[in-house]
Amino acid sequence: MSMSRSMSRHLVALSAAVCVAAGLAATPATAEPASKESATTESAAPKPRPKTLGELARKHHKYFGSATDNPEFTDAAYLKLLGSEFGQTTPGNAMKWYATEPEPGVFDFTAADEVMAFAKNHHQKVRGHTLVWHSQLPAWLTDRTWTAEELRPVLKNHIQTVARHYKGKVIHWDVVNEAFNEDGTYRESVFYKTLGPGYIADALRWAHEADPHAKLYLNDYNVDGLNAKSDAYYRLIKQLKADGVPIEGFGLQGHLALQYGYPAGIKENIQRFADLGVEVAITELDIRMELPATPQKLATQATWYADYVRACLAVRKCVGVTLWDYTDKYSWIPAVFPGEGAALPYDEDLRPKPAYHAIRKVLGG
Ligand code: XIL
């Protein structure tokens, strides 16, 4: 999972070289030119702080964020970067059903509130993730069978209790997560099987009642480019809008892997959803690779990050980019995809990788 020491040293050297090549060490253009008179004072004055990814993105009227998770809240160095570099955060697990309603009708917001408090203290926007998903459900929900009459009120109560708790505090809700299969058919989740495809419109309406100001999203993976799965979302969102259902956004998770190639048509895909009248967010970006990481793979990864961020910048209605955590130290990848990792722009020692510098450059830093 972890890189060898010599490899990390090599990467640090490589990062530094990329940084210098990109002119990142130069004084930002906003610095006052030093006059002869003020030269002494100027040289004593601290150098202007380089802009953060969040600040750079804001100039494009977008946010740049990172997911986070509660176990990481004991790591001061990690929190310092999370709170300073990013203008937005998403709780990686804390708002999921297993965490927020561990027993039927019994709600627990402790973990999610901890993330909300951090975000508030650091002036970060928060994306709510997620109200309805087939995964990470509590056992009381998955260990039995349900009739539609039984499940409907349970689903409504879950959505509305959680959305009400965070009313006015989250900018978006991923209301339904991962509703489709790769071929564009509906995923056979407990919600689909019990309630039929109409559960999606119901979920959106219930969430809107509970928090009318949060923008409501559908969110999925492998929908970055043009393919059968993103086509299915295109048709569904078009229909939902025609039916007057409150759908305002489409989330591209963006879990890419170098070995599968860069998805074709990301910008075109973002644009077609924008043209439907919804905004688009890049919600869970990471770009994994088969380990070990090599300078070559990390250079390709940097290009992919830059290209993906550029695709978002090219479409006005693409509102922001969220990394699925920012450091390889806390990435979910090694645990879920054995033998893969190194997916994020900071390494396991919280040092910026080539991808970080590539993103900065695209954002104009
Ligand atoms: C992941 C979390 O990061 C892990 O900690 C957890 O064990 C599994 O879920 N798509 C999603 C996210 O929508 O909620 C998932 O998060 C990653 C894939």
Side-chain angles (χ1 to χ4, degrees):
M1 185 174 104
S2 56
M3 281 183 290
S4 71
R5 287 211 174 274
S6 67
M7 173 65 79
S8 11
R9 251 182 264 124
H10 188 98
L11 294 180
V12 173
L14 183 75
S15 304
V18 173
C19 182
V20 170
L24 294 171
T27 313
T30 48
E32 294 291 325
S35 73
K36 248 192 184 168
E37 240 176 32
S38 64
T40 335
T41 7
E42 284 287 331
S43 59
K47 277 215 185 98
R49 178 180 61 75
K51 292 214 170 3
T52 66
L53 296 179
E55 289 165 344
L56 292 170
R58 210 171 303 136
K59 295 199 165 210
H60 300 270
H61 309 287
K62 312 207 188 277
Y63 61 77
F64 200 94
S66 167
T68 189
D69 205 4
N70 302 73
E72 299 155 28
F73 276 54
T74 53
D75 183 337
Y78 166 85
L79 287 179
K80 190 159 188 274
L81 270 173
L82 179 71
S84 58
E85 195 70 30
F86 301 98
Q88 179 272 333
T89 193
T90 306
N93 286 300
M95 289 182 177
K96 291 173 180 174
W97 200 317
Y98 82 94
T100 52
E101 194 183 358
E103 299 299 331
V106 180
F107 288 83
D108 181 353
F109 295 111
T110 324
D113 285 352
E114 189 183 13
V115 178
M116 295 301 296
F118 180 88
K120 192 174 178 200
N121 285 337
H122 296 85
H123 313 288
Q124 292 172 322
K125 301 175 194 296
V126 178
R127 297 194 75 255
H129 174 81
T130 174
L131 296 170
V132 189
W133 190 27
H134 67 277
S135 187
Q136 294 184 279
L137 292 169
W140 63 263
L141 207 158
T142 52
D143 282 358
R144 52 159 286 185
T145 55
W146 297 85
T147 64
E149 292 65 37
E150 289 165 340
L151 189 57
R152 243 178 102 75
V154 167
L155 181 63
K156 180 176 181 184
N157 187 50
H158 178 77
I159 290 171
Q160 296 205 317
T161 306
V162 177
R164 239 184 270 122
H165 187 81
Y166 293 110
K167 184 178 173 180
K169 296 181 180 156
V170 295
I171 55 162
H172 303 161
W173 265 114
D174 288 331
V175 176
V176 182
N177 197 31
E178 304 181 352
F180 285 115
N181 296 312
E182 300 306 288
D183 64 359
T185 55
Y186 281 97
R187 184 190 287 274
E188 301 255 326
S189 68
V190 62
F191 308 107
Y192 177 79
K193 283 194 294 191
T194 314
L195 302 169
Y199 85 91
I200 296 178
D202 285 338
L204 289 161
R205 290 193 177 103
W206 292 331
H208 185 68
E209 263 173 37
D211 185 352
H213 296 299
K215 298 212 167 160
L216 304 184
Y217 274 65
L218 302 179
N219 188 53
D220 214 323
Y221 61 91
N222 286 349
V223 292
D224 315 277
L226 299 161
N227 58 40
K229 197 176 185 180
S230 62
D231 286 350
Y233 277 100
Y234 185 81
R235 285 191 298 269
L236 173 63
I237 290 175
K238 194 172 185 178
Q239 188 60 50
L240 290 170
K241 285 196 77 83
D243 295 344
V245 177
I247 172 75
E248 288 181 275
F250 184 43
L252 314 185
Q253 290 186 5
H255 294 296
L256 308 188
L258 291 189
Q259 66 272 23
Y260 302 136
Y262 188 74
I266 296 185
K267 193 191 126 198
E268 292 74 10
N269 191 40
I270 296 175
Q271 186 65 58
R272 70 171 169 161
F273 283 94
D275 293 342
L276 265 189
V278 290
E279 53 180 52
V280 174
I282 316 309
T283 56
E284 307 183 13
L285 187 57
D286 55 18
I287 303 174
R288 63 189 190 267
M289 60 188 71
E290 286 163 345
L291 298 173
T294 61
Q296 179 57 49
K297 287 186 208 170
L298 292 169
T300 306
Q301 179 190 52
T303 312
W304 287 27
Y305 267 109
D307 289 349
Y308 208 137
V309 172
R310 203 179 289 114
C312 178
L313 292 186
V315 181
R316 193 183 50 83
K317 284 176 89 81
C318 184
V319 294
V321 177
T322 308
L323 304 172
W324 205 240
D325 227 315
Y326 71 86
T327 159
D328 293 336
K329 188 173 184 181
Y330 297 122
S331 171
W332 70 303
I333 296 295
V336 176
F337 301 91
E340 298 178 43
L344 293 164
Y346 288 80
D347 72 12
E348 292 186 1
D349 298 319
L350 305 182
R351 280 191 289 243
K353 292 158 63 177
Y356 170 83
H357 299 294
I359 294 168
R360 280 194 73 86
K361 202 170 165 204
V362 170
L363 292 174

